[in-house]
Amino acid sequence: MELALQKLPVIVLLIPMLSFLVLAFFGNKIPRGGDWLATTLLFLNLAFSGFILFAFGTAGRYEMNVDWIDLGGAIPGAAKFLAGFQIDALTAVMLVVVNAISAFVHLYSVKYMEGDAKYKKYFSYLGLFTFSMLGLVLTNSILLMYVFWELVGLSSYLLIGFWYEKKAPQEAAKKAFIVNRIGDAGFLLGILIIFLTIGAFTFTDIFAGVEAGKLAGGALTAAGILLFCGAVGKSAQFPLHVWLPDAMEGPTPVSALIHAATMVAAGVYLVARIFVMLSADALTVVTFIGVITAFISATIALTQNDIKKVLAYSTISQLGYMIMAIGVGAYSYGFFHLVTHAFFKACLFLTAGSVIVGMHHIQDIREMGGLRKKMPVTFYTFLMATLAISGVPLTSGFLSKDAILASTLAFAGVNGGITIIVPILAFGVAGLTAFYMFRLLIITFLGEPKNQEKFDHCHESPAQMTIPLIILAVLSFFAFFSLNPFSADSGWFLNMVSMPESILAGTKGAIYHILPLDEFKEHLHHAHNTAMILSLAISGIGILTAFVFYYWKKVNVDKLAESIRPLYNFSLNKWYFDELYDKTAVAFTMGISKLSAWIDNKIVDGIVNGAATVTRGFSKYTGLFDNVFVDGLVNLTGGIVGAFGLLFRKFQTGKIQTYIAFLVFGILILYFVFRVF
């Protein structure tokens, strides 16, 4: 068993890289561009990941290191940098999640991307992305995590901008890349603080250094918040959430892979990985960023009409839930929601892709309706996933969401004051989620068709697309995580991923008090029933309201929207974040760029060009003086000499008598000259 744990992680990491390399260099020589080869390899990888998850239950934590960089004593105390991998509860679960979603997306894409001119390139990019994500999960070094973190950013850029012939994917890819780099800058600064204070990069050494007090106080809080900045970017948290909805310009399977279960989950994974070293102040920041993100995104999703945009804002909201849960101390529940969300959100995105294909690439839900009759498999799988994300009992989403809501009540009950806003917003988001998801379901699948022509030609998706939907929908059922439909505490997941205790020596000076683990669990226990009743009631109200508005049509939604036009437009225009950033950050950056360009063109280039002009002018006048005066004098002298030469040439007869006569004549002239003067 131990030998398997030593070898399998490397194999699991390299299989998607093998898929990428084979398809990138030899895809043209392989039938169908290597799609089935890539898909088979990913399902094989899923099987290996399942074995690791099973083995971990008996083998415990495992870590392997090798010497990576040896500085030879150039930096005291940090002569060697280690690289390796670790397998613990977080790693084992994430390996299964990443490989499962990637494998199903591969299978789904075989039909969805059929006929695309860049078919082979698409599957090779999927392999590169999966490799990057698995490396991020497996590594035991925060520096190597940063390397894989950036590789995830690169591969997501390639996938988001896959249809780069169109302007929208180009802009979306650039936006995702740039916004993520802002968060990553903070991540890098956090790593540098850790290295300068502790002198190590492996998580084991970092945690040991923090526990020993090498990094403490304000520096520890700053490091934690800076590391969290990376998660803010990757997991699309406020205020860096604006990139994810635009990223829906990529192929729909990419949306399911990157923006439902893997890339955006990387930020949550990072916060979970460093949870034990986060100070109370840092956790407070994490909490409020998470709950604000969840609320803002939920209010925006209420009015969106693009089926993928609704799901995109839903993803941001649920990621906020996860971040908030970790912030309030519910480490296990936040990570549990990451796992359950991965399956039902991937199902939602892939069903959306099925609808888009069936409607001949229409994404506006206002042109849909009645699709349940034409696409029954797609409808029922969408319904199952919608029930899960709405927190309806007997679903996995109910188990994880209920636990998170109970944690917010316990958090507010202990800390009081302004923290009461956390459960208020969290429960409010639960109701909003149920409302906008059932709004989406009703408008898309129920009622009468809005576009009769598209409806008449609509049909159910082929098996390659519906089989992943069915599997993901089934995995949204509670029984896969707990035999108790109303609590996951006794299930295998929470038994494996237990809440760790903080390694900090104390929490003096913290804004909010962090309870000991046992005491926190006691508060959770008392809050459980209250949270369940409230969540069921609020979710039920949200679902009922959606049916009243959009199915039974007891309320004229158009008139309602008109009566609250400012609020409606505020939601429809996404709180004007893009406009705000365009007027501030983008305008400032462009202003600086224009100023720099002006300085470069007018001043720097002006000086260079002016010097060149002066040089050319001086050269011109120097040349003129040389040509007119110098050359003129030389030429004049030459002309005179030449004229005299021609003149005297006539006397060159070659007769001695003539030369004697000139000699005598010259002597006579000289005689008379000297005689006179």
Side-chain angles (χ1 to χ4, degrees):
M1 191 68 70
E2 185 176 347
L3 181 63
L5 284 177
Q6 293 177 10
K7 303 295 183 183
L8 272 184
V10 179
I11 296 172
V12 168
L13 176 63
L14 294 180
I15 282 178
M17 174 53 71
L18 175 65
S19 173
F20 164 68
L21 293 174
V22 171
L23 268 65
F25 292 100
F26 307 105
N28 293 330
K29 300 178 181 179
I30 303 174
R32 295 181 55 86
D35 56 353
W36 284 107
L37 173 64
T39 304
T40 302
L41 287 174
L42 262 295
F43 274 100
L44 179 64
N45 227 31
L46 175 59
F48 288 154
S49 301
F51 181 79
I52 291 175
L53 181 65
F54 173 78
F56 173 77
T58 57
R61 187 178 185 277
Y62 178 78
E63 184 173 4
M64 186 193 77
N65 288 301
V66 296
D67 290 342
W68 181 24
I69 301 174
D70 191 344
L71 298 178
I75 302 179
K80 284 186 180 180
F81 296 156
L82 300 177
F85 62 81
Q86 62 184 358
I87 301 176
D88 59 6
L90 292 182
T91 303
V93 172
M94 283 298 295
L95 287 179
V96 173
V97 171
V98 173
N99 279 300
I101 302 302
S102 183
F104 291 134
V105 165
H106 273 73
L107 178 60
Y108 183 93
S109 298
V110 168
K111 196 65 181 180
Y112 187 91
M113 297 298 293
E114 189 176 42
D116 193 281
K118 302 189 293 287
Y119 189 75
K120 176 209 69 165
K121 185 180 292 186
Y122 171 81
F123 279 92
S124 67
Y125 287 170
L126 288 184
L128 177 62
F129 175 84
T130 306
F131 163 77
S132 305
M133 191 65 202
L134 291 175
L136 188 155
V137 169
L138 278 167
T139 183
N140 66 344
S141 164
I142 197 166
L143 181 61
L144 267 179
M145 176 182 277
Y146 184 78
V147 173
F148 284 110
W149 191 273
E150 295 302 321
L151 277 175
V152 169
L154 171 63
S155 50
S156 66
Y157 170 81
L158 296 173
L159 286 167
I160 295 169
F162 184 74
W163 289 318
Y164 55 81
E165 304 87 355
K166 306 174 186 175
K167 187 170 180 62
Q170 293 177 22
E171 297 298 323
K174 288 189 289 185
K175 187 176 183 178
F177 193 83
I178 293 171
V179 173
N180 271 272
R181 298 295 74 73
I182 296 172
D184 294 350
F187 189 10
L188 182 59
L189 289 174
I191 294 173
L192 291 176
I193 291 176
I194 289 172
F195 175 70
L196 291 174
T197 53
I198 298 176
F201 290 118
T202 63
F203 290 108
T204 302
D205 292 337
I206 292 171
F207 295 158
V210 172
E211 195 166 10
K214 293 182 179 179
L215 180 59
L220 177 62
T221 299
I225 293 174
L226 286 169
L227 292 177
F228 175 61
C229 286
V232 171
K234 233 18 143 243
S235 290
Q237 298 295 287
F238 168 84
L240 301 181
H241 64 285
V242 293
W243 68 269
L244 193 142
D246 289 5
M248 299 300 110
E249 293 293 340
T252 299
V254 169
S255 302
L257 176 65
I258 298 180
H259 309 116
T262 49
M263 175 181 171
V264 294
V268 182
Y269 173 78
L270 170 64
V271 180
R273 176 61 68 191
I274 64 172
F275 174 79
V276 295
M277 60 170 281
L278 293 176
S279 68
D281 293 343
L283 286 173
T284 299
V285 173
V286 171
T287 299
F288 280 94
I289 290 293
V291 74
I292 291 170
T293 302
F295 177 73
I296 290 175
S297 303
T299 60
I300 295 173
L302 293 173
T303 57
Q304 301 305 304
N305 296 308
D306 185 310
I307 187 171
K308 290 175 67 175
K309 289 289 180 69
V310 176
L311 296 179
Y313 281 105
S314 169
T315 297
I316 300 173
S317 184
Q318 296 304 303
L319 289 167
Y321 251 90
M322 302 170 204
I323 293 293
M324 175 193 66
I326 297 175
V328 301
Y331 163 96
S332 301
Y333 298 147
F335 194 68
F336 182 37
H337 195 56
L338 182 154
V339 176
T340 60
H341 175 265
F343 294 115
F344 60 68
K345 181 52 62 71
C347 182
L348 287 169
F349 268 111
L350 295 183
T351 51
S354 179
V355 169
I356 293 168
V357 170
M359 290 293 291
H360 302 279
H361 298 281
I362 287 179
Q363 296 183 195
D364 193 330
I365 60 176
R366 292 171 296 184
E367 295 192 46
M368 301 177 187
L371 295 183
R372 178 177 64 88
K373 301 173 184 176
K374 293 280 189 171
M375 309 179 75
V377 176
T378 300
F379 166 70
Y380 285 110
T381 52
F382 191 94
L383 174 62
M384 183 65 189
T386 300
L387 292 171
I389 197 172
S390 300
V392 175
L394 305 184
T395 66
S396 61
F398 171 80
L399 294 176
S400 55
K401 191 172 279 189
D402 179 65
I404 291 173
L405 292 173
S407 301
T408 64
L409 286 177
F411 175 75
V414 170
N415 297 293
I418 194 175
T419 60
I420 190 64
I421 198 173
V422 175
I424 290 175
L425 291 180
F427 279 95
V429 169
L432 293 176
T433 302
F435 173 80
Y436 68 69
M437 286 305 304
F438 272 88
R439 168 185 177 264
L440 180 62
L441 181 142
I442 293 167
I443 295 175
T444 305
F445 292 99
L446 304 181
E448 299 299 321
K450 310 299 188 306
N451 189 324
Q452 193 63 50
E453 182 183 355
K454 297 292 185 181
F455 178 81
D456 292 338
H457 293 88
C458 186
H459 55 82
E460 184 62 90
S461 298
Q464 294 98 319
M465 294 174 65
T466 56
I467 289 174
L469 302 184
I470 295 170
I471 295 173
L472 290 169
V474 171
L475 290 173
S476 301
F477 192 57
F478 80 92
F480 289 93
F481 300 95
S482 174
L483 295 179
N484 185 346
F486 297 102
S487 177
D489 288 337
S490 58
W492 68 269
F493 182 92
L494 291 180
N495 283 330
M496 176 179 286
V497 185
S498 57
M499 290 187 185
E501 294 189 38
S502 174
I503 60 174
L504 306 185
T507 59
K508 292 182 179 180
I511 298 174
Y512 300 111
H513 179 61
I514 298 179
L515 293 176
L517 184 59
D518 292 339
E519 193 173 343
F520 183 68
K521 287 183 176 179
E522 184 67 23
H523 281 272
L524 278 176
H525 177 72
H526 291 301
H528 177 73
N529 290 334
T530 303
M532 184 188 301
I533 295 170
L534 284 175
S535 69
L536 288 174
I538 293 172
S539 296
I541 292 171
I543 296 170
L544 180 62
T545 305
F547 273 92
V548 170
F549 280 23
Y550 297 101
Y551 188 71
W552 297 312
K553 298 182 179 179
K554 300 296 184 181
V555 176
N556 190 315
V557 291
D558 294 329
K559 288 185 178 180
L560 178 62
E562 193 60 39
S563 66
I564 54 170
R565 178 56 60 180
L567 285 175
Y568 180 83
N569 288 339
F570 193 66
S571 170
L572 185 64
N573 291 286
K574 303 164 287 188
W575 284 43
Y576 297 100
F577 276 107
D578 285 326
E579 290 81 359
L580 175 64
Y581 291 167
D582 284 340
K583 297 292 185 182
T584 54
V586 175
F588 176 77
T589 304
M590 294 302 295
I592 294 294
S593 300
K594 290 178 180 179
L595 177 62
S596 300
W598 184 87
I599 293 173
D600 183 54
N601 293 329
K602 301 297 183 182
I603 298 179
V604 178
D605 288 354
I607 293 172
V608 174
N609 295 336
T613 302
V614 171
T615 303
R616 286 197 302 268
F618 182 77
S619 301
K620 180 179 178 181
Y621 290 111
T622 303
L624 183 64
F625 179 81
D626 181 62
N627 293 330
V628 175
F629 293 98
V630 178
D631 289 354
L633 183 61
V634 171
N635 293 335
L636 178 62
T637 304
I640 294 171
V641 172
F644 276 101
L646 291 173
L647 177 63
F648 287 113
R649 185 177 179 184
K650 294 179 179 180
F651 299 106
Q652 300 293 321
T653 62
K655 296 178 179 180
I656 188 67
Q657 295 90 339
T658 303
Y659 299 147
I660 293 171
F662 276 117
L663 178 62
V664 173
F665 182 73
I667 292 172
L668 291 174
I669 291 175
L670 289 173
Y671 173 78
F672 284 111
V673 169
F674 283 111
R675 185 75 182 262
V676 174
F677 296 101

